Amino acid sequence: MARRFIKRLMPDHQKVRESKAIRLFGSLLHDANLWHLNRRSASGAFAVGLFCAFIPVPFQMLLAAASAIPFRVNLPLSVGLVWVSNPITMPPMFYLCYLVGNALLAEPPQPFAFEASWEWLMHSISTIGPAFLLGCLVLGTLSSFIGYIGIRLLWRQSVVKAWRRRNP
């Protein structure tokens, strides 16, 4: 059950290999563990993908792919999970990161109004940046841990269920 569900969510590995951004990893993509789907690779991919989704940088998918290779987890799944932070979910996610960072640093939230200027960006990084980055680190770590444990439990539950159906 869990395996079929995850396979439906995964992009085709041939399409991922042909992607221009992923091709820069070259022969590293020939490791078979990057393409297999088992309990270890799926749970690790959830951890990598969810952690990278909370990193406030462009090219999160490239970062997830670069992280999946040394951890030898499912590459398409880790790259696909980065899309948890898409243009619709990113503002509430990052605002929550900022609030969590403020709570951990025991600082009151800073009022700010967005401006598309370099001066505003530099000022914002110095005022709200530390709380925001701390919140991203904490929520990224927490979500990757919950995703890892959740997939491990879901996978185990589906295996136990299959065994019970097989041996009544």
Side-chain angles (χ1 to χ4, degrees):
M1 170 75 175
R3 184 181 182 123
R4 277 186 268 142
F5 176 72
I6 292 172
K7 276 197 172 221
R8 276 189 290 158
L9 295 176
M10 281 183 23
D12 180 42
H13 70 81
Q14 196 59 33
K15 286 182 184 176
V16 173
R17 274 190 183 158
E18 293 169 1
S19 167
K20 285 183 183 180
I22 301 296
R23 267 190 282 164
L24 73 98
F25 294 113
S27 64
L28 295 173
L29 296 177
H30 297 299
D31 184 1
N33 289 317
L34 297 176
W35 310 102
H36 285 293
L37 187 62
N38 55 37
R39 182 172 52 182
R40 184 200 157 288
S41 69
S43 58
F46 263 76
V48 167
L50 291 175
F51 183 79
C52 290
F54 278 92
I55 298 176
V57 295
F59 308 112
Q60 291 171 324
M61 291 171 56
L62 193 59
L63 186 61
S67 300
I69 291 170
F71 289 118
R72 300 178 75 191
V73 298
N74 190 285
L75 187 126
L77 189 56
S78 62
V79 168
L81 278 164
V82 168
W83 280 95
V84 166
S85 65
N86 56 55
I88 295 170
T89 62
M90 203 175 284
M93 279 176 59
F94 286 161
Y95 183 65
L96 180 62
C97 289
Y98 172 66
L99 293 178
V100 167
N102 271 338
L104 291 173
L105 294 175
E107 294 179 356
Q110 301 280 333
F112 65 92
F114 177 74
E115 286 181 34
S117 70
W118 187 254
E119 294 81 27
W120 177 84
L121 182 63
M122 289 296 114
H123 177 70
S124 295
I125 287 175
S126 64
T127 57
I128 66 173
F132 172 63
L133 293 176
L134 178 63
C136 286
L137 178 67
V138 168
L139 289 180
T141 303
L142 183 66
S143 69
S144 69
F145 179 74
I146 290 170
Y148 180 84
I149 298 297
I151 291 300
R152 298 283 293 198
L153 291 173
L154 180 66
W155 202 286
R156 184 176 185 330
Q157 180 184 12
S158 70
V159 168
V160 167
K161 193 179 201 181
W163 272 98
R164 286 186 181 151
R165 269 195 313 246
R166 195 177 314 159
N167 298 323

